[in-house]
Amino acid sequence: MSLTLDQALEILAAARAGALARKAKPLAYAVVDAGGNPLALQRDERAGHLRAQIALNKAWGCIALGISSGRLARTIEEHTNSWDGLSGTAGGRLVPSPGGVFIRSAEGIVLGALGISGEASKIDEEIAVEAIEAAALEADTEGD
């Protein structure tokens, strides 16, 4: 089972609707498959030009490390000495801030990840969870 482009677009549509309902700041959204490959990427035209790359890296980091971007943020608080090496190894792509959430099947299989950037991190993550669930998939904010 793999995440389809149609599912990715459905997730992004739900995320955008959730952001509008919240009157959120301009956001960027990215969906990657289980290999970390981009399936869909959108940026509100008013969002900062780096937002799309941040959203993509939040999603990519989930797949790369097997943990959500929120869990990464909590983990590096306790292991700050490891962060430089980890970040360098990943080419600076890891974003230790909530908003990168796993997309799982009903059976618990990782299908990919959604990354959102532009609002307070907690709100990015809330919108991501709601969007994944709106597409009849399971959202996972932790990972392994």
Side-chain angles (χ1 to χ4, degrees), residues 13-99:
R16 292 183 67 212
L20 287 172
R22 278 187 167 80
K23 296 183 169 81
K25 295 176 183 174
L27 302 178
Y29 316 84
V31 176
V32 299
D33 65 17
N37 304 297
L39 281 174
L41 177 65
Q42 294 180 344
R43 180 187 63 85
D44 182 289
E45 67 276 4
R46 297 169 295 128
H49 70 279
L50 285 178
R51 290 291 171 201
Q53 193 62 46
I54 294 167
L56 182 59
N57 287 344
K58 282 184 179 184
W60 178 85
C62 289
I63 302 302
L65 295 177
I67 61 174
S68 70
S69 63
R71 184 170 167 202
L72 174 61
R74 292 186 301 278
T75 300
I76 64 168
E77 285 177 0
E78 300 169 8
H79 300 71
T80 55
N81 292 338
S82 302
W83 174 243
D84 288 340
L86 184 60
S87 179
T89 300
R93 290 190 66 185
L94 300 174
V95 180
S97 178

Side-chain angles (χ1 to χ4, degrees), residues 4 12 19 29 35-36 45 47 55 59 66 68 76 90 99 102 118 123-124 134 141:
T4 67
L12 292 187
Y29 316 84
E45 67 276 4
S68 70
I76 64 168
F102 285 98
I123 295 171
D124 287 347
T141 61

